[in-house]
Amino acid sequence: MAATTNDLVQDVLESVQKQYKSIEVHKDIELDVDCGNLLACDQNPLDVKAYRSNKDEFLLSLSRDNTQLLFNQIWKLPIHRVDDVVTAELPEPTVRIPREKPVPKPRASTRWEEYARRKGIQKRKKSRRVFDEETQEWVPRFGYKSKNDLRRDWLLEVPDNADPYEDQFAKKKTEKKERVAKNELQRLKNIARAQKTKVPAAGLQPKAVQSSQEVNKAIHLAKRSTASIGRFEDKLPKEPVEKNRGKRRKFEPVFGQLDKEKEREKDILGHVLRGKPKLDVNKAVNKELRDGNVVQEELEARKKQRGKGSKRALPKFVKKKGGRGKGKFR
Protein backbone atom coordinates (compact mmCIF):
# COMPACT_ATOMS: atom_id res chain seq x y z
CA MET A 1 0.00 0.00 0.00
CA ALA A 2 2.87 2.37 0.88
CA ALA A 3 4.58 1.65 -2.41
CA THR A 4 1.41 2.39 -4.28
CA THR A 5 0.99 5.72 -2.46
CA ASN A 6 4.61 6.70 -3.17
CA ASP A 7 4.15 5.88 -6.84
CA LEU A 8 0.99 7.96 -6.96
CA VAL A 9 2.75 10.95 -5.37
CA GLN A 10 5.65 10.55 -7.77
CA ASP A 11 3.30 10.50 -10.75
CA VAL A 12 1.57 13.66 -9.52
CA LEU A 13 4.90 15.46 -9.07
CA GLU A 14 6.05 14.43 -12.53
CA SER A 15 2.83 15.64 -14.11
CA VAL A 16 3.14 18.96 -12.32
CA GLN A 17 6.75 19.33 -13.44
CA LYS A 18 5.71 18.67 -17.02
CA GLN A 19 2.93 21.24 -16.78
CA TYR A 20 4.98 23.96 -15.07
CA LYS A 21 8.59 24.57 -15.98
CA SER A 22 11.26 25.11 -13.36
CA ILE A 23 12.24 28.61 -12.22
CA GLU A 24 15.92 27.70 -12.56
CA VAL A 25 17.24 28.61 -16.00
CA HIS A 26 20.82 27.99 -17.09
CA LYS A 27 22.60 30.38 -19.44
CA ASP A 28 26.18 30.22 -20.64
CA ILE A 29 26.42 34.01 -20.50
CA GLU A 30 24.51 35.76 -17.73
CA LEU A 31 21.90 38.28 -18.74
CA ASP A 32 22.41 42.02 -18.24
CA VAL A 33 19.38 42.79 -16.04
CA ASP A 34 18.24 46.37 -15.33
CA CYS A 35 15.46 46.04 -12.75
CA GLY A 36 14.80 49.78 -12.78
CA ASN A 37 13.61 49.61 -16.39
CA LEU A 38 12.46 45.95 -16.19
CA LEU A 39 14.95 45.26 -18.96
CA ALA A 40 16.95 42.09 -19.65
CA CYS A 41 19.54 41.83 -22.45
CA ASP A 42 20.49 38.33 -23.66
CA GLN A 43 23.91 38.12 -25.35
CA ASN A 44 23.95 34.34 -25.83
CA PRO A 45 24.24 33.14 -29.45
CA LEU A 46 21.09 31.72 -31.03
CA ASP A 47 20.70 28.06 -31.96
CA VAL A 48 20.21 28.42 -35.70
CA LYS A 49 19.06 24.81 -36.25
CA ALA A 50 16.38 25.01 -33.57
CA TYR A 51 15.31 28.40 -34.86
CA ARG A 52 14.92 27.16 -38.44
CA SER A 53 13.14 23.95 -37.45
CA ASN A 54 10.39 25.64 -35.40
CA LYS A 55 10.67 29.42 -35.21
CA ASP A 56 7.57 30.12 -33.08
CA GLU A 57 8.31 27.50 -30.46
CA PHE A 58 11.95 28.54 -30.21
CA LEU A 59 11.14 32.24 -29.72
CA LEU A 60 8.42 31.43 -27.17
CA SER A 61 10.77 29.25 -25.14
CA LEU A 62 13.56 31.84 -25.28
CA SER A 63 11.22 34.63 -24.16
CA ARG A 64 9.91 32.51 -21.28
CA ASP A 65 13.42 31.71 -19.99
CA ASN A 66 14.59 35.34 -20.15
CA THR A 67 11.42 36.55 -18.44
CA GLN A 68 11.91 33.97 -15.69
CA LEU A 69 15.46 35.22 -15.09
CA LEU A 70 14.16 38.81 -14.91
CA PHE A 71 11.53 37.83 -12.33
CA ASN A 72 14.12 35.95 -10.30
CA GLN A 73 16.09 39.19 -9.96
CA ILE A 74 12.94 41.17 -9.09
CA TRP A 75 12.08 38.83 -6.22
CA LYS A 76 15.50 39.51 -4.70
CA LEU A 77 14.57 43.18 -4.22
CA PRO A 78 12.97 44.61 -1.05
CA ILE A 79 9.30 43.67 -0.94
CA HIS A 80 6.42 45.59 0.65
CA ARG A 81 2.73 44.84 1.08
CA VAL A 82 0.29 47.58 0.01
CA ASP A 83 -3.46 46.91 0.34
CA ASP A 84 -2.98 43.12 0.39
CA VAL A 85 -0.80 43.33 -2.73
CA VAL A 86 2.87 42.35 -2.74
CA THR A 87 5.01 45.04 -4.39
CA ALA A 88 8.75 45.22 -5.05
CA GLU A 89 10.80 48.39 -4.62
CA LEU A 90 12.60 48.94 -7.94
CA PRO A 91 16.06 50.54 -7.86
CA GLU A 92 17.22 53.42 -10.01
CA PRO A 93 17.58 52.44 -13.69
CA THR A 94 21.09 51.98 -15.03
CA VAL A 95 20.28 52.05 -18.77
CA ARG A 96 19.19 55.36 -20.26
CA ILE A 97 16.27 54.73 -22.61
CA PRO A 98 15.20 57.59 -24.92
CA ARG A 99 11.72 58.95 -24.32
CA GLU A 100 9.35 60.67 -26.71
CA LYS A 101 7.65 62.59 -23.90
CA PRO A 102 9.28 64.14 -20.82
CA VAL A 103 9.06 62.36 -17.50
CA PRO A 104 5.73 63.26 -15.86
CA LYS A 105 6.07 65.56 -12.90
CA PRO A 106 4.77 64.47 -9.50
CA ARG A 107 1.27 65.59 -8.60
CA ALA A 108 1.11 68.78 -6.57
CA SER A 109 -0.09 68.22 -3.01
CA THR A 110 -3.38 69.74 -1.89
CA ARG A 111 -3.79 72.17 0.97
CA TRP A 112 -5.00 69.41 3.27
CA GLU A 113 -2.01 67.19 2.38
CA GLU A 114 0.40 70.05 3.11
CA TYR A 115 -1.35 70.76 6.41
CA ALA A 116 -1.27 67.08 7.37
CA ARG A 117 2.43 66.87 6.52
CA ARG A 118 3.23 69.89 8.69
CA LYS A 119 1.15 68.64 11.62
CA GLY A 120 2.26 65.04 11.27
CA ILE A 121 -1.24 63.68 10.65
CA GLN A 122 -1.13 60.11 9.36
CA LYS A 123 -3.75 58.86 6.93
CA ARG A 124 -5.74 55.97 8.31
CA LYS A 125 -7.87 53.71 6.20
CA LYS A 126 -11.49 53.72 7.32
CA SER A 127 -13.88 50.86 6.85
CA ARG A 128 -16.72 51.27 4.38
CA ARG A 129 -19.34 50.31 6.95
CA VAL A 130 -20.06 51.61 10.44
CA PHE A 131 -22.27 50.21 13.15
CA ASP A 132 -25.53 52.07 13.72
CA GLU A 133 -26.56 51.88 17.38
CA GLU A 134 -30.16 52.83 16.63
CA THR A 135 -30.90 50.04 14.16
CA GLN A 136 -28.17 47.69 15.50
CA GLU A 137 -26.98 47.07 11.95
CA TRP A 138 -23.91 47.75 9.84
CA VAL A 139 -24.65 50.54 7.37
CA PRO A 140 -22.53 52.37 4.74
CA ARG A 141 -20.40 55.22 6.02
CA PHE A 142 -21.76 57.61 3.38
CA GLY A 143 -24.21 57.59 0.49
CA TYR A 144 -27.51 55.78 0.15
CA LYS A 145 -28.88 54.28 3.41
CA SER A 146 -25.88 55.61 5.32
CA LYS A 147 -25.86 56.85 8.87
CA ASN A 148 -26.04 60.47 7.74
CA ASP A 149 -28.76 59.96 5.13
CA LEU A 150 -31.34 62.77 5.35
CA ARG A 151 -34.23 60.42 4.60
CA ARG A 152 -33.65 58.52 7.84
CA ASP A 153 -34.42 61.57 10.02
CA TRP A 154 -38.21 61.51 10.34
CA LEU A 155 -38.04 63.70 13.49
CA LEU A 156 -35.71 66.62 14.27
CA GLU A 157 -35.37 68.54 17.50
CA VAL A 158 -35.80 72.32 17.33
CA PRO A 159 -32.98 74.14 19.17
CA ASP A 160 -33.88 76.61 21.90
CA ASN A 161 -32.35 79.60 20.11
CA ALA A 162 -33.98 78.79 16.74
CA ASP A 163 -37.20 79.99 15.24
CA PRO A 164 -39.96 77.50 16.13
CA TYR A 165 -41.57 77.97 12.71
CA GLU A 166 -38.34 77.29 10.78
CA ASP A 167 -38.21 74.12 8.72
CA GLN A 168 -35.39 72.12 10.24
CA PHE A 169 -35.46 69.53 7.42
CA ALA A 170 -34.94 72.22 4.76
CA LYS A 171 -32.23 73.84 6.89
CA LYS A 172 -30.32 70.58 7.24
CA LYS A 173 -30.63 69.93 3.50
CA THR A 174 -29.36 73.43 2.70
CA GLU A 175 -26.38 73.01 5.03
CA LYS A 176 -25.46 69.76 3.31
CA LYS A 177 -25.62 71.44 -0.11
CA GLU A 178 -23.35 74.21 1.17
CA ARG A 179 -20.80 71.69 2.42
CA VAL A 180 -20.82 69.85 -0.90
CA ALA A 181 -20.41 73.14 -2.81
CA LYS A 182 -17.55 74.19 -0.54
CA ASN A 183 -15.74 70.88 -1.10
CA GLU A 184 -16.23 71.15 -4.86
CA LEU A 185 -14.87 74.71 -4.87
CA GLN A 186 -11.84 73.59 -2.89
CA ARG A 187 -11.27 70.73 -5.33
CA LEU A 188 -11.35 73.11 -8.32
CA LYS A 189 -8.92 75.45 -6.54
CA ASN A 190 -6.52 72.57 -6.00
CA ILE A 191 -6.69 71.69 -9.71
CA ALA A 192 -6.09 75.32 -10.72
CA ARG A 193 -3.15 75.62 -8.35
CA ALA A 194 -1.64 72.37 -9.65
CA GLN A 195 -1.85 73.70 -13.21
CA LYS A 196 -0.49 77.10 -12.09
CA THR A 197 -3.52 79.02 -13.29
CA LYS A 198 -5.37 81.78 -11.52
CA VAL A 199 -8.80 81.15 -10.11
CA PRO A 200 -11.28 83.59 -11.73
CA ALA A 201 -12.35 86.17 -9.17
CA ALA A 202 -16.06 86.85 -8.83
CA GLY A 203 -16.93 89.56 -6.35
CA LEU A 204 -15.28 89.63 -2.95
CA GLN A 205 -13.14 86.64 -2.09
CA PRO A 206 -13.61 85.32 1.47
CA LYS A 207 -10.79 86.53 3.71
CA ALA A 208 -10.26 87.11 7.39
CA VAL A 209 -9.81 90.88 6.95
CA GLN A 210 -10.95 92.79 3.85
CA SER A 211 -9.44 96.06 2.78
CA SER A 212 -11.52 99.15 2.00
CA GLN A 213 -10.89 98.74 -1.73
CA GLU A 214 -12.17 95.17 -1.70
CA VAL A 215 -15.29 96.15 0.25
CA ASN A 216 -15.90 99.05 -2.16
CA LYS A 217 -15.53 96.72 -5.14
CA ALA A 218 -17.99 94.23 -3.65
CA ILE A 219 -20.56 96.98 -3.00
CA HIS A 220 -20.38 98.30 -6.56
CA LEU A 221 -20.57 94.81 -8.04
CA ALA A 222 -23.67 94.08 -5.98
CA LYS A 223 -25.32 97.31 -7.08
CA ARG A 224 -24.53 96.82 -10.76
CA SER A 225 -26.00 93.31 -10.71
CA THR A 226 -29.56 94.67 -10.92
CA ALA A 227 -31.62 94.96 -14.11
CA SER A 228 -31.00 98.73 -14.27
CA ILE A 229 -27.22 98.23 -13.76
CA GLY A 230 -27.38 100.12 -10.45
CA ARG A 231 -28.96 103.28 -11.88
CA PHE A 232 -31.75 103.49 -9.28
CA GLU A 233 -29.85 102.13 -6.28
CA ASP A 234 -29.45 104.32 -3.19
CA LYS A 235 -25.97 105.56 -2.31
CA LEU A 236 -24.29 105.57 1.07
CA PRO A 237 -23.47 108.92 2.77
CA LYS A 238 -19.69 108.72 2.11
CA GLU A 239 -19.66 106.28 -0.77
CA PRO A 240 -16.93 107.08 -3.33
CA VAL A 241 -17.91 107.52 -6.96
CA GLU A 242 -16.92 104.57 -9.07
CA LYS A 243 -15.35 105.23 -12.41
CA ASN A 244 -16.63 103.38 -15.44
CA ARG A 245 -14.49 100.36 -15.94
CA GLY A 246 -13.86 98.69 -19.25
CA LYS A 247 -13.54 99.98 -22.78
CA ARG A 248 -16.24 101.73 -24.74
CA ARG A 249 -16.74 101.49 -28.45
CA LYS A 250 -15.90 104.64 -30.32
CA PHE A 251 -17.81 105.55 -33.49
CA GLU A 252 -16.78 108.19 -36.00
CA PRO A 253 -19.24 111.05 -36.57
CA VAL A 254 -21.64 110.75 -39.48
CA PHE A 255 -20.94 114.25 -40.86
CA GLY A 256 -18.62 117.17 -40.26
CA GLN A 257 -15.24 115.61 -41.15
CA LEU A 258 -15.05 115.76 -44.95
CA ASP A 259 -11.25 115.73 -45.10
CA LYS A 260 -10.96 112.41 -43.32
CA GLU A 261 -13.71 110.95 -45.46
CA LYS A 262 -11.94 112.06 -48.66
CA GLU A 263 -8.65 110.57 -47.53
CA ARG A 264 -10.32 107.28 -46.65
CA GLU A 265 -12.06 107.09 -50.04
CA LYS A 266 -8.78 107.93 -51.84
CA ASP A 267 -7.03 105.13 -50.02
CA ILE A 268 -9.75 102.69 -51.00
CA LEU A 269 -9.70 103.79 -54.65
CA GLY A 270 -5.91 103.68 -54.83
CA HIS A 271 -5.87 100.21 -53.35
CA VAL A 272 -8.39 99.04 -55.96
CA LEU A 273 -6.51 100.61 -58.89
CA ARG A 274 -3.10 99.41 -57.78
CA GLY A 275 -4.26 95.89 -57.24
CA LYS A 276 -3.63 93.52 -60.12
CA PRO A 277 -5.41 90.22 -60.43
CA LYS A 278 -3.13 87.34 -59.55
CA LEU A 279 -3.20 84.31 -61.80
CA ASP A 280 -3.16 81.00 -59.97
CA VAL A 281 -1.63 78.65 -62.54
CA ASN A 282 -2.53 75.44 -60.72
CA LYS A 283 -6.13 76.49 -60.24
CA ALA A 284 -6.46 77.53 -63.90
CA VAL A 285 -4.98 74.25 -65.20
CA ASN A 286 -7.22 72.18 -62.93
CA LYS A 287 -10.28 74.10 -64.07
CA GLU A 288 -9.35 73.58 -67.73
CA LEU A 289 -8.85 69.86 -67.22
CA ARG A 290 -12.10 69.56 -65.33
CA ASP A 291 -14.03 71.37 -68.06
CA GLY A 292 -12.45 69.14 -70.71
CA ASN A 293 -13.42 66.00 -68.79
CA VAL A 294 -17.00 67.23 -68.47
CA VAL A 295 -17.25 67.89 -72.22
CA GLN A 296 -15.77 64.50 -73.03
CA GLU A 297 -18.22 62.72 -70.72
CA GLU A 298 -21.16 64.55 -72.34
CA LEU A 299 -20.03 63.52 -75.83
CA GLU A 300 -19.68 59.88 -74.80
CA ALA A 301 -23.10 59.90 -73.17
CA ARG A 302 -24.69 61.35 -76.32
CA LYS A 303 -22.97 58.76 -78.50
CA LYS A 304 -24.41 55.97 -76.37
CA GLN A 305 -27.91 57.43 -76.60
CA ARG A 306 -27.49 57.94 -80.36
CA GLY A 307 -26.65 54.26 -80.77
CA LYS A 308 -29.91 53.26 -79.11
CA GLY A 309 -31.91 54.99 -81.89
CA SER A 310 -33.22 57.89 -79.90
CA LYS A 311 -33.82 60.94 -82.08
CA ARG A 312 -33.60 63.30 -79.12
CA ALA A 313 -30.08 62.10 -78.38
CA LEU A 314 -28.65 63.85 -81.47
CA PRO A 315 -26.38 66.78 -80.60
CA LYS A 316 -27.39 70.29 -81.57
CA PHE A 317 -24.65 70.65 -84.19
CA VAL A 318 -25.48 67.39 -86.11
CA LYS A 319 -27.28 67.85 -89.46
CA LYS A 320 -30.61 66.10 -89.67
CA LYS A 321 -30.89 63.63 -92.54
CA GLY A 322 -33.88 63.44 -94.85
CA GLY A 323 -36.76 65.86 -95.15
CA ARG A 324 -37.64 68.39 -97.77
CA GLY A 325 -35.79 71.48 -98.66
CA LYS A 326 -32.55 72.48 -97.06
CA GLY A 327 -30.99 70.65 -94.20
CA LYS A 328 -32.11 71.77 -90.80
CA PHE A 329 -30.18 71.87 -87.64
CA ARG A 330 -31.72 70.80 -84.41
Side-chain angles (χ1 to χ4, degrees):
M1 185 68 180
T4 307
T5 305
N6 293 334
D7 294 341
L8 181 61
V9 171
Q10 190 68 23
D11 294 339
V12 171
L13 292 177
E14 289 179 358
S15 63
V16 170
Q17 289 179 358
K18 291 180 180 179
Q19 184 178 2
Y20 300 102
K21 295 184 179 181
S22 175
I23 62 174
E24 296 181 0
V25 180
H26 175 70
K27 291 281 185 179
D28 295 335
I29 303 175
E30 295 184 358
L31 271 66
D32 296 336
V33 180
D34 182 9
C35 295
N37 289 322
L38 300 178
L39 176 66
C41 298
D42 188 3
Q43 299 180 0
N44 291 277
L46 297 177
D47 189 357
V48 181
K49 293 182 179 180
Y51 175 76
R52 291 179 177 176
S53 61
N54 195 341
K55 180 170 62 174
D56 296 336
E57 185 178 354
F58 176 77
L59 294 177
L60 185 63
S61 176
L62 183 62
S63 302
R64 182 263 164 196
D65 295 341
N66 293 339
T67 306
Q68 184 64 57
L69 291 174
L70 176 61
F71 273 92
N72 292 343
Q73 294 295 329
I74 292 175
W75 282 111
K76 295 180 182 179
L77 300 173
I79 296 175
H80 304 284
R81 184 176 292 274
V82 180
D83 296 338
D84 298 335
V85 178
V86 179
T87 60
E89 184 179 352
L90 299 179
E92 292 294 331
T94 57
V95 179
R96 295 186 62 183
I97 300 177
R99 294 177 57 94
E100 180 188 2
K101 304 291 184 182
V103 180
K105 297 180 180 179
R107 181 181 63 84
S109 58
T110 60
R111 294 182 61 183
W112 165 250
E113 291 175 350
E114 293 179 357
Y115 177 78
R117 180 175 54 80
R118 290 197 302 267
K119 297 295 182 179
I121 301 175
Q122 300 293 333
K123 183 179 180 180
R124 294 180 299 176
K125 185 178 180 181
K126 297 181 181 180
S127 60
R128 293 186 178 181
R129 292 183 173 271
V130 294
F131 186 74
D132 190 2
E133 297 179 356
E134 297 179 1
T135 59
Q136 297 295 318
E137 294 179 353
W138 290 91
V139 296
R141 184 177 293 274
F142 54 88
Y144 179 64
K145 290 186 178 181
S146 64
K147 192 175 182 180
N148 298 324
D149 194 357
L150 299 178
R151 286 170 289 189
R152 296 185 57 186
D153 299 333
W154 62 275
L155 180 64
L156 292 177
E157 182 181 359
V158 180
D160 297 334
N161 57 351
D163 186 5
Y165 298 101
E166 186 180 9
D167 189 357
Q168 298 296 326
F169 294 96
K171 181 180 178 181
K172 191 172 183 180
K173 190 175 182 180
T174 303
E175 291 176 353
K176 183 176 181 180
K177 287 184 178 180
E178 290 177 355
R179 291 195 302 269
V180 172
K182 182 181 178 181
N183 294 334
E184 181 66 16
L185 178 62
Q186 190 63 40
R187 185 183 70 85
L188 296 176
K189 284 185 177 181
N190 291 332
I191 295 174
R193 186 180 58 179
Q195 296 181 356
K196 295 182 180 180
T197 57
K198 293 183 179 180
V199 180
L204 184 62
Q205 296 294 328
K207 293 182 180 179
V209 179
Q210 289 84 15
S211 62
S212 59
Q213 295 180 356
E214 292 175 343
V215 174
N216 185 25
K217 179 182 177 181
I219 292 172
H220 286 293
L221 287 175
K223 287 186 175 181
R224 291 177 64 87
S225 61
T226 59
S228 61
I229 317 178
R231 184 176 300 176
F232 304 105
E233 296 296 324
D234 297 334
K235 293 185 179 181
L236 298 175
K238 295 183 179 180
E239 181 181 353
V241 180
E242 184 190 17
K243 296 182 180 179
N244 294 326
R245 299 181 179 180
K247 296 181 180 180
R248 289 188 175 183
R249 297 179 61 185
K250 295 182 179 180
F251 298 94
E252 296 183 359
V254 181
F255 60 93
Q257 296 182 352
L258 299 177
D259 297 336
K260 291 184 177 180
E261 187 175 356
K262 288 180 180 179
E263 292 293 334
R264 184 169 61 253
E265 291 179 357
K266 286 182 180 179
D267 294 339
I268 295 173
L269 184 60
H271 180 72
V272 172
L273 295 177
R274 286 195 304 269
K276 295 181 180 179
K278 296 182 180 179
L279 178 61
D280 192 348
V281 180
N282 295 330
K283 188 174 181 180
V285 172
N286 293 334
K287 186 176 183 304
E288 187 68 23
L289 293 174
R290 185 169 59 253
D291 294 343
N293 293 334
V294 170
V295 172
Q296 188 67 23
E297 291 176 357
E298 290 181 356
L299 290 175
E300 291 179 358
R302 289 176 179 177
K303 286 181 181 179
K304 290 180 180 180
Q305 292 179 358
R306 182 182 177 184
K308 293 180 181 180
S310 175
K311 296 182 180 181
R312 296 183 180 180
L314 293 174
K316 295 181 180 180
F317 53 85
V318 177
K319 185 176 180 181
K320 184 179 178 181
K321 297 181 179 180
R324 299 178 181 178
K326 297 181 181 180
K328 298 183 180 179
F329 290 87
R330 295 186 62 188

